Amino acid sequence: MYDENVVTTNEEFQDETLTCRECGNEFVFSAGEQAFYKQKGFLNKPKMCKACRDAKKNAGKAPREYFETTCADCGGVAKVTFQPSSDRPVYCSECFEKRKNAQ
């Protein structure tokens, strides 16, 4: 069912240049972002640029720790976010994808 009042198009919006309240740099609030904001019912424009929003979102989070081990399939280097144990095989990204797609 098509409801013309719910569907919004980017044609009703124009890219808008805003100034970030954190860093003072200008950023573009695109027509697509404006349509998304309207669809979600957001009433206010963003006050921070993407970089400052991301920095605020990630503040206080510990950096992710990576462990290097040997891939059980190809013998290459596998970087993983968990401490590998000897009782289970660990695969590099490529070998992991191959095994996942083969199932």
Side-chain angles (χ1 to χ4, degrees):
M1 184 167 126
Y2 176 77
D3 184 354
E4 62 188 41
N5 296 326
V6 173
V7 176
T8 60
T9 62
N10 292 356
E11 289 129 23
E12 66 184 279
F13 301 105
Q14 301 260 338
D15 286 357
E16 189 175 343
T17 302
L18 303 175
T19 303
C20 178
R21 73 173 182 200
E22 293 294 316
C23 66
N25 292 332
E26 291 185 343
F27 65 98
V28 176
F29 184 36
S30 72
E33 290 172 315
Q34 291 173 44
F36 174 80
Y37 270 51
K38 182 175 181 179
Q39 178 186 5
K40 293 294 183 182
F42 299 149
L43 301 176
N44 299 320
K45 298 175 185 177
K47 301 208 180 317
M48 294 186 289
C49 65
K50 174 111 172 78
C52 289
R53 287 194 313 264
D54 288 345
K56 183 177 180 180
K57 182 172 107 177
N58 294 322
K61 289 185 182 179
R64 184 169 271 184
E65 185 177 0
Y66 287 92
F67 300 91
E68 285 190 6
T69 187
T70 303
C71 176
D73 208 14
C74 71
V77 175
K79 287 187 176 184
V80 293
T81 57
F82 56 90
Q83 179 69 53
S85 61
S86 59
D87 63 333
R88 298 187 72 190
V90 177
Y91 304 102
C92 66
S93 297
E94 289 179 24
C95 292
F96 181 80
E97 284 299 317
K98 285 181 205 172
R99 294 178 66 82
K100 187 170 104 176
N101 292 334
Q103 294 178 355

